[in-house]
Amino acid sequence: MSFVAAVKSVLSKYVGFTGRARRSEYWWFVLFTVLLGIVAAILDNALGLNFVEGSSSGVIGLIVSLVLLLPGLAVAVRRLHDTDRTGWWVLIALVPIVGAIVLIVFFVLDGTPGANRFGPSPKG
């Protein structure tokens, strides 16, 4: 799946928590989110819209974060579904350090071949 196709797919399923997402779809969207965050920080600094002088967080960054929150959460849940795990596993990220590591490992694992309890394989 290409970068543009992945971003379109995630944004078209804005709050779709059902189904499965391929690794490429998830990681391309993560890259899109990071790049958009960098652009937002640059714009905040250039326009002087930072909340605190000298910080990189500002109004545009906040808006971008809020807009991408739900699609990011939805694609993470669909990615977990592809590895045959329930979406509630995303809450393990609340455990400091270890939770994020476990979640990243789950996101990196290959999806289950064929259909699983969350639907048909996104690979076709």
Side-chain angles (χ1 to χ4, degrees):
M1 177 173 278
S2 70
F3 178 79
V4 174
V7 172
K8 283 182 181 179
S9 174
V10 172
L11 294 178
S12 69
K13 300 173 189 174
Y14 195 82
V15 289
F17 290 87
T18 59
R20 296 166 62 174
R22 297 173 67 174
R23 273 186 301 195
S24 60
E25 181 179 358
Y26 176 77
W27 289 111
W28 280 126
F29 188 73
V30 168
L31 177 63
F32 172 74
T33 303
V34 169
L35 293 175
L36 210 55
I38 291 169
V39 169
I42 290 170
L43 286 174
D44 280 332
N45 284 327
L47 299 173
L49 297 174
N50 296 341
F51 292 126
V52 178
E53 190 64 36
S55 75
S56 63
S57 60
V59 176
I60 297 172
L62 176 65
I63 292 170
V64 167
S65 296
L66 289 175
V67 167
L68 295 178
L69 176 68
L70 288 177
L73 186 59
V75 75
V77 168
R78 289 195 311 270
R79 179 71 202 123
L80 287 169
H81 286 174
D82 193 40
T83 61
D84 206 19
R85 288 176 178 78
T86 180
W88 289 105
W89 272 101
V90 80
L91 295 176
I92 200 167
L94 298 174
V95 176
I97 301 168
V98 175
I101 293 169
V102 169
L103 202 55
I104 288 170
V105 168
F106 287 165
F107 290 151
V108 169
L109 292 175
D110 197 17
T112 55
N116 66 17
R117 61 188 168 142
F118 298 105
S121 174
K123 291 183 180 178

